[in-house]
């Protein structure tokens, strides 16, 4: 496998080395292609990502990505959004599942849902007019874009509990009526039981009764917000992995950002990145390795070996090192 590795900015530079230590412990045949992309590079060189970088990413089988800083400057285009669009990775898949030894806001741990977030359009269209008096962003919902994400979610649901929740705001934004109709049709065609909820009351229901949900499909910005919110259910943003999937390319990254408030201190939780690596291993059909990695993470957490966000005293690199050593011993 040819793997592009992008540390990015802030804690990306800490969590990705920890994830690579874990990957290396498996001794798989992986050619790693390190790439410098992001805000730091922009500050240094005036360019955050180029056409050549996109080509280099496309030349790899998949990408492991840390996080990038995205300033609100209208002249700065987000590296992450550029990559998602250029590689047409339309499905942002964000599994929310508690690790049994980490407490979230509920005592119950019997929930396990997946947010399937449309990743290329909606309010992230990039079609904007920025002015002194009025600034607008065009919300784009297409039948094609809605159908491919709806079909992805319906297929995922049919491989799980056959239950799909469509989350939208079509009472106010009529553009969401198209999204809703296409999702309903896709679920019906796939024989998937489905219901829909308006995003505001859905956010309340999800945080209150997460065990009521399985696969959730929604538009770009709602998926962004609901995924960070879900972090509270499982013990924090340091534990949420994600995959960006398209027809050709796949890209794995933690849900969290560059966390400038804790960057450079070696205290960021690397598990979101390491669980993203686990998604990569599963995508690459390295199922045995994914299982061992899960076992290693459970062992570390049961020993209280974790970073301060989870109440522990370990550093980012301690966690990576423990997991790597566990894996090496397990494979001996
Ligand atoms: P953030 O996710 O970086 O941080 C939010 C909070 O969560 C912070 O208090 C941070 O310390 C904590 N946190 C995040 N990751 C953690 C980890 N691994 N371990 C422990 N605590 C962790 O969100 P933000 O502060 O709103 O954004 C910071 C920058 O990151 C912004 O420039 C934003 O645009 C960018 N961002 C990038 C990505 C990405 O690259 N995928 C995602 C979100 C935000
Ligand atoms: C995420 C991030 C990105 C998004 C930003 C950094 C562009 O918040 O991956 O959740 O909004 O998609
Ligand atoms: Mn986000």
């Amino acid at each position: 496998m040819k793997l592009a590795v992008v540390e990015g900015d802030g804690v990306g530079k800490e969590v990705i080395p920890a994830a690579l230590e874990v990957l290396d412990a498996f001794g798989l045949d992986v050619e790693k292609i390190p790439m410098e992309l992001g805000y730091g590079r922009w500050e240094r060189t005036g360019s955050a990502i180029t056409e050549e970088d996109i080509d280099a990413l496309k030349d790899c089988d998949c990408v492991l990505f840390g996080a990038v800083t995205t300033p609100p400057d209208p002249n700065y285009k987000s590296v992450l959004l550029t990559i998602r669009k250029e590689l047409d990775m339309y499905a942002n898949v964000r599994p929310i599942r508690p690790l049994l030894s980490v407490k979230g806001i509920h005592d119950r741990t019997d929930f396990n849902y997946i947010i399937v977030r449309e990743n290329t359009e909606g309010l992230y269209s990039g079609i904007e007019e920025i002015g002194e008096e009025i600034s607008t962003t065009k919300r784009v919902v297409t039948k094609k874009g809605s159908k491919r994400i709806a079909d992805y979610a319906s297929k995922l649901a049919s491989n799980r509990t056959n239950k799909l929740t469509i989350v939208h705001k079509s009472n106010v934004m009529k553009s969401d009526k198209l999204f809703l109709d296409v999702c309903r049709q896709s679920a019906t065609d796939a024989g998937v039981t489905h219901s829909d909820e308006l995003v505001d009351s859905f956010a309340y229901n999800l945080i209150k009764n997460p065990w009521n949900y399985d696969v959730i499909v929604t538009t770009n910005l709602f998926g962004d917000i609901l995924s960070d919110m879900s972090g509270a259910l499982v013990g924090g943003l340091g534990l949420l992995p994600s995959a960006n999937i398209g027809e050709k390319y796949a890209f794995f990254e933690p849900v969290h950002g560059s966390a400038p408030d804790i960057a450079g201190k070696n205290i960021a939780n690397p598990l979101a990145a390491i669980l993203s690596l686990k998604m990569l291993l599963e995508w690459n059909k390295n199922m045995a390795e994914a299982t061992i990695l899960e076992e290693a993470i459970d062992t570390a957490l049961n020993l209280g070996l974790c970073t301060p966000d989870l109440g522990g005293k370990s550093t980012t690199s301690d966690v990576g090192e423990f997991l790597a050593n566990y894996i090496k011993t397990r494979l001996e």
Side-chain angles (χ1 to χ4, degrees):
M1 175 181 30
K2 199 165 169 183
L3 174 69
V5 178
V6 180
E7 292 182 352
D9 302 307
V11 297
K13 293 189 183 306
E14 298 161 49
V15 297
I16 291 301
L20 289 181
E21 192 174 353
V22 171
L23 174 62
D24 289 346
F26 286 113
L28 294 167
D29 183 16
V30 178
E31 184 192 354
K32 287 176 283 186
I33 314 286
M35 292 180 63
E36 187 202 0
L37 306 175
Y39 186 59
R41 171 170 144 183
W42 183 81
E43 283 185 313
R44 211 169 44 75
T45 68
S47 152
I49 185 166
T50 61
E51 294 276 330
E52 290 74 46
D53 295 321
I54 298 286
D55 290 342
L57 288 170
K58 287 183 174 170
D59 190 44
C60 291
D61 296 302
C62 62
V63 187
L64 183 64
F65 186 94
V68 284
T69 297
T70 307
D73 179 345
N75 298 316
Y76 186 90
K77 201 165 165 225
S78 162
V79 163
L80 192 53
L81 298 187
T82 304
I83 297 175
R84 286 177 185 161
K85 275 198 182 163
E86 291 287 335
L87 274 62
D88 201 25
M89 294 180 294
Y90 62 89
N92 193 334
V93 181
R94 298 183 152 183
I96 313 295
R97 184 178 60 95
L99 295 164
L100 296 183
S101 47
V102 181
K103 219 176 131 17
I105 56 179
H106 293 292
D107 285 331
R108 279 179 69 171
T109 52
D110 58 331
F111 61 91
N112 166 355
Y113 62 86
I114 301 190
I115 298 173
V116 177
R117 164 189 181 193
E118 201 293 316
N119 218 13
T120 56
E121 48 187 44
L123 267 169
Y124 284 57
S125 68
I127 306 171
E128 305 194 302
E129 280 180 39
I130 308 303
E132 296 265 316
E133 299 296 328
I134 178 165
S135 287
T136 54
T137 298
K138 191 168 190 172
R139 187 172 193 269
V140 175
V141 177
T142 67
K143 190 170 182 182
K144 180 173 170 245
S146 302
K147 181 158 167 35
R148 61 183 183 170
I149 194 71
D151 288 349
Y152 186 96
S154 296
K155 185 160 180 233
L156 185 62
S158 68
N159 288 329
R160 287 170 54 98
T161 63
N162 212 39
K163 188 171 141 186
L164 179 69
T165 308
I166 306 159
V167 176
H168 62 99
K169 185 79 182 178
S170 67
N171 54 341
V172 173
M173 295 186 296
K174 305 303 177 191
S175 52
D176 253 6
K177 181 71 169 53
L178 176 58
F179 181 75
L180 175 59
D181 288 344
V182 171
C183 288
R184 280 179 172 153
Q185 190 60 52
S186 165
T188 303
D189 292 347
V192 168
T193 308
H194 56 281
S195 59
D196 69 275
E197 294 189 39
L198 294 168
V199 65
D200 44 355
S201 56
F202 172 78
Y204 172 77
N205 290 334
L206 181 67
I207 208 85
K208 197 140 190 279
N209 299 306
W211 35 84
N212 285 348
Y213 298 96
D214 195 71
V215 178
I216 295 156
V217 65
T218 192
T219 52
N220 210 337
L221 182 63
F222 297 160
D224 180 40
I225 298 167
L226 292 169
S227 48
D228 269 34
M229 188 188 81
S230 296
L233 291 170
V234 297
L237 277 179
L239 291 173
L240 297 187
S242 79
N244 299 270
I245 307 279
E247 298 298 338
K248 285 203 198 124
Y249 303 103
F251 175 109
F252 300 85
E253 54 162 345
V255 167
H256 66 73
S258 58
D261 54 339
I262 58 163
K265 298 181 178 160
N266 197 19
I267 56 167
N269 190 342
L271 291 180
I274 291 169
L275 288 163
S276 304
L277 169 67
K278 181 174 169 248
M279 292 181 84
L280 186 161
L281 291 169
E282 285 162 348
W283 172 85
N284 199 43
K285 307 258 185 307
N286 296 115
M287 296 306 178
E289 285 80 2
T291 304
I292 293 171
L293 179 50
E294 173 98 25
E295 190 186 297
I297 292 171
D298 282 344
T299 306
L301 291 172
N302 280 324
L303 289 170
L305 202 140
C306 54
T307 44
D309 55 310
L310 299 182
K313 290 196 168 63
S314 304
T315 62
T316 312
S317 32
D318 287 341
V319 175
E321 193 183 322
F322 175 89
L323 298 176
N325 286 336
Y326 180 95
I327 292 162
K328 284 184 204 153
T329 310
R330 183 73 170 61
L331 293 176
E332 263 166 21

